[in-house]
Amino acid sequence: MRGRQLGEGAPSVPAGLGSLKLEIWFNPFMRQKSELGQSGLKVIRAEVVMHLAVVACGNRLEETLTMVKSALLFSIKKIKFHIFAEEELREQFEKELSHWPQPLSSKLQYTLYPITFSVGNAEEWKKLFKPCAAQRLFLPVILKDVDSLLYVDTDVLFLRPMDDIWKFFKAFNSTQLAAMAPEHEIPKIGWYSRFARHPFYGVTGVNSGVMLMNLTRIRSTLFKNSMIASGLSWEDLLHPLYQKYKNHITWGDQDLLNIIFHYNPECLYTFPCQWNYRPDHCMYGSNCKGAEEEGVSILHGNRGVYHDDKQPAFKVVYDSIRDYPVGENMFQSLFYPLQTKFLDTVNTLCGRVPQVFLKQIEKTMKAVFEQKVVRHARPLHRQHR
C-alpha cells in the first residue's frame, strides 16, 4: 500500500469493542486545538478522525475523485480515505490528487491499496457483479488497525457533512456492527421481495452502497448461518457462503451481505432512505418520505445515471460538484448554477421535486459559510459617545 498520510506514525488511542477509534495527528504546520492545563502546559486535544473506504476499478476514477471532493467540501472532522484500486488506477489517483488545490489538499489524508482477496479464487471474487466490488467484504480482514469506517460506492455524493452519518455509530446497540438503508421502501416494487432466490434482510433487503462498519465488532463476532451450527467468523464465512449461493445471487457482494444479515438481523442497524437516495426512490414516484421532509443527505447515482440522460436530476448534481472550482464562493459557483440547471429537469420523474435534491445541500453550504465567515469575523466595537 502507498499514499499520503499526514502525521503518519502518530499514536492512537486504543479502541475497545464497539468504540470509535481516535487518531491524533501531531503536525506543527496544522492549527492545533489546545487548552491550558493546570500545570500551565498546553494540552493537545485528541481529534476524532473518520475513516472512509472506497473501491475503484475500471473507469471509476472520475466518479471516485468527485465523491472524495464532495466529502471534503462539507466535512467538519478529518477524514482518512482508504482507496482500493487496480495498479493503473492507483497511479492515476496519485497523479490527480497531487494536483488538487490547497483548500482540499490541506485536508486530504489517504492511503492507496491494491485489490486483494484473502480467501478463495481472487479472479472469481474480482468479477463478482461490478469489477472489484467484492473487495469491500474483505475490509475487516485488511484494515486490521481501523476500528470503524464508512464504506461507499464510487457513485456516491455527500450533500451534507460525513460527520452526520458517522453519528449513527452512537445509535448502535450492543449487538449491532453495521448499518445500511433498506433497498426499497415499498415491498410491492422492491427487487428482493419480488425476485430474490436467496435469503435477504427484512422485508425489502438492504442496499450496500452506503454502509457503516464497526470492524472491531465484525472481527470478534461469530455469525449464524445455514451451514455450520456453531457459527463462523467473518473471514471464514465469506468463501463457503459464496460457494453455496453463487448460482442464485444477482447483485454480488450486496446479496451476500443480505444473506449474512438475514441470519443475523440483530447485528444490523438500518438508517433512513435519505442517507442512500437512489433513482429507485423517485423513478416510480416519490417513495422516500425522509428525503421529502429533510432533503437528500447522501446521493447514490447507481444505474449509471451520472453519465447518461435517463435521470437528469442526478446528473446535474454530479456535474455541478465535479465542475465546482474549489476555493470560489459556494453559493455563486456551486449552488446557484445547480439551481439553474435544475430548471431543465423539473419535467422528469426525479426532477419534479427539486427541493428533495436542493434542500440539504443549501442548508449545508449555509452552515459552512457561517462557520468560515460569520464566526471568524471580528466583532464590531461600539463607539463611545
Side-chain angles (χ1 to χ4, degrees), residues 47-85:
E47 289 187 90
V48 176
V49 176
M50 303 176 294
H51 291 260
L52 187 150
V54 64
V55 179
C57 286
N59 61 349
R60 300 286 178 155
L61 177 69
E62 182 194 89
E63 268 190 4
T64 308
L65 291 172
T66 306
M67 179 278 293
V68 172
K69 182 180 181 180
S70 73
L72 289 175
L73 282 176
F74 303 130
S75 67
I76 299 170
K77 292 190 288 290
K78 297 185 186 303
I79 305 173
K80 168 65 186 294
F81 294 89
H82 303 269
I83 304 172
F84 292 78

Side-chain angles (χ1 to χ4, degrees), residues 243-262:
Q243 290 298 319
K244 179 174 182 177
Y245 291 102
K246 65 180 180 180
N247 295 324
H248 301 282
I249 59 177
T250 301
W251 307 112
D253 56 309
Q254 176 172 291
D255 289 348
L256 294 179
L257 289 168
N258 265 281
I259 296 168
I260 291 171
F261 290 111
H262 168 84

Side-chain angles (χ1 to χ4, degrees), residues 39-250:
S39 63
L41 297 175
K42 284 188 176 181
V43 179
I44 304 299
R45 295 178 186 173
E47 289 187 90
V48 176
V49 176
M50 303 176 294
H51 291 260
L52 187 150
V54 64
V55 179
C57 286
N59 61 349
R60 300 286 178 155
L61 177 69
E62 182 194 89
E63 268 190 4
T64 308
L65 291 172
T66 306
M67 179 278 293
V68 172
K69 182 180 181 180
S70 73
L72 289 175
L73 282 176
F74 303 130
S75 67
I76 299 170
K77 292 190 288 290
K78 297 185 186 303
I79 305 173
K80 168 65 186 294
F81 294 89
H82 303 269
I83 304 172
F84 292 78
E86 297 166 305
E87 178 65 30
E88 181 181 346
L89 273 185
R90 295 205 304 279
E91 294 176 0
Q92 293 180 53
F93 273 115
E94 286 189 332
K95 180 180 178 181
E96 293 292 331
L97 293 173
S98 67
H99 290 99
W100 270 21
Q102 196 274 336
L104 289 186
S105 63
S106 63
K107 300 166 61 177
L108 183 62
Q109 302 162 359
Y110 70 92
T111 300
L112 290 164
Y113 304 82
I115 301 297
T116 54
F117 303 99
S118 60
V119 294
N121 186 310
E123 286 302 312
E124 201 170 8
W125 280 117
K126 190 174 181 180
K127 295 175 182 177
L128 183 64
F129 189 47
K130 293 180 181 179
C132 306
Q135 178 71 82
R136 162 258 301 282
L137 296 173
F138 295 85
L139 295 180
V141 181
I142 299 169
L143 302 177
K144 295 185 182 296
D145 294 328
V146 178
D147 178 73
S148 298
L149 61 76
L150 172 66
Y151 165 87
V152 297
D153 287 346
T154 60
D155 52 7
V156 157
L157 292 172
F158 292 87
L159 304 188
R160 66 188 292 178
M162 178 182 156
D163 309 63
D164 295 334
I165 191 171
W166 194 260
K167 292 175 184 175
F168 282 120
F169 277 121
K170 294 181 180 179
F172 283 19
N173 64 25
S174 59
T175 62
Q176 290 165 338
L177 47 76
M180 289 180 274
E183 173 70 15
H184 284 278
E185 303 303 300
I186 304 172
K188 67 180 181 181
I189 65 172
W191 193 92
Y192 284 106
S193 51
R194 291 185 295 164
F195 305 119
R197 295 183 295 151
H198 58 78
F200 56 89
Y201 176 85
V203 179
T204 61
V206 284
N207 184 279
S208 61
V210 179
M211 181 179 180
L212 289 167
M213 304 175 74
N214 187 312
L215 302 184
T216 298
R217 290 188 177 187
I218 291 174
R219 285 187 287 261
S220 61
T221 298
L222 290 178
F223 292 88
K224 298 187 292 292
N225 59 85
S226 59
M227 299 169 289
I228 297 177
S230 59
L232 287 168
S233 69
W234 185 267
E235 185 174 14
D236 292 338
L237 174 64
L238 294 177
H239 190 246
L241 193 71
Y242 169 66
Q243 290 298 319
K244 179 174 182 177
Y245 291 102
K246 65 180 180 180
N247 295 324
H248 301 282
I249 59 177
T250 301

Side-chain angles (χ1 to χ4, degrees), residues 247-370:
N247 295 324
H248 301 282
I249 59 177
T250 301
W251 307 112
D253 56 309
Q254 176 172 291
D255 289 348
L256 294 179
L257 289 168
N258 265 281
I259 296 168
I260 291 171
F261 290 111
H262 168 84
Y263 290 105
N264 301 271
E266 73 283 358
C267 293
L268 188 67
Y269 178 92
T270 55
F271 47 69
C273 50
Q274 63 265 33
W275 295 95
N276 186 354
Y277 189 88
R278 293 166 286 116
D280 303 76
H281 290 116
C282 49
M283 61 190 293
Y284 306 115
S286 182
N287 57 59
C288 178
K289 296 299 181 184
E292 292 177 18
E293 296 170 0
E294 300 180 14
V296 174
S297 296
I298 293 180
L299 194 69
H300 184 182
N302 64 341
R303 302 177 181 267
V305 293
Y306 293 151
H307 311 293
D308 59 32
D309 297 319
K310 293 180 180 178
Q311 299 297 341
F314 281 77
K315 189 174 188 298
V316 298
V317 178
Y318 176 82
D319 289 348
S320 297
I321 293 176
R322 179 196 63 195
D323 298 338
Y324 163 66
V326 174
E328 294 191 11
N329 183 284
M330 279 193 179
F331 279 100
Q332 293 180 351
S333 301
L334 177 55
F335 185 71
Y336 295 147
L338 177 57
Q339 276 187 316
T340 302
K341 291 177 183 178
F342 245 97
L343 294 176
D344 297 327
T345 75
V346 293
N347 293 321
T348 66
L349 288 171
C350 288
R352 57 189 169 185
V353 191
Q355 64 268 27
V356 167
F357 291 83
L358 300 177
K359 187 174 183 178
Q360 194 58 239
I361 193 169
E362 180 180 18
K363 180 180 177 181
T364 297
M365 285 194 288
K366 285 181 178 178
V368 171
F369 174 80
E370 290 175 358

